[in-house]
Amino acid sequence: MDSEHCPSMPCGGAGAWEARLFDHVAECLGDFMEKRKIKDKKLPVGFTFSFPCRQSKIDEAVLITWTKRFKASGVEGADV
C-alpha cells in the first residue's frame, strides 16, 4: 500500500488504541482496493507490527517502547 492512499495514522490518546489502529488499517485497505477495483477479489494479506517487543512465546510479545512518532498510552509493557 502506498502512502498516497493512507497518508497518516491517527495516534495518541488513551482508550481503545487497538480498535483505532485496526480500523485505520482496514479503511486504508478498503480504499486501496476500491480505487483499484479489486474489492471482489480474495487476496493474501500480511500484517507486521514493527515496533520493539520482547517475545516470550509464539503468541505473546510485550511492547518495549513506541517508535516512529506513535504515542498511544497504556500500551508499552503490554502484550500486543
Side-chain angles (χ1 to χ4, degrees):
M1 178 175 355
D2 53 68
S3 62
E4 78 179 55
H5 293 97
C6 213
S8 63
M9 164 50 204
C11 300
W17 70 272
E18 302 97 332
R20 289 194 309 270
L21 174 61
F22 289 104
D23 285 350
H24 181 72
V25 170
E27 182 181 340
C28 290
L29 282 170
D31 291 347
F32 178 84
M33 293 175 76
E34 191 171 304
K35 287 178 183 174
R36 285 174 171 66
K37 299 181 181 6
I38 57 173
K39 267 198 147 175
D40 60 333
K41 306 244 188 253
K42 282 194 170 193
L43 303 170
V45 175
F47 180 78
T48 300
F49 188 80
S50 56
F51 297 93
C53 295
R54 186 176 309 104
Q55 187 170 3
S56 57
K57 300 177 188 171
I58 190 71
D59 62 348
E60 180 181 288
V62 174
L63 178 66
I64 296 169
T65 186
W66 283 119
T67 58
K68 306 171 199 162
R69 299 187 325 219
F70 277 70
K71 295 292 180 196
S73 62
V75 185
E76 292 178 341
D79 181 14
V80 291

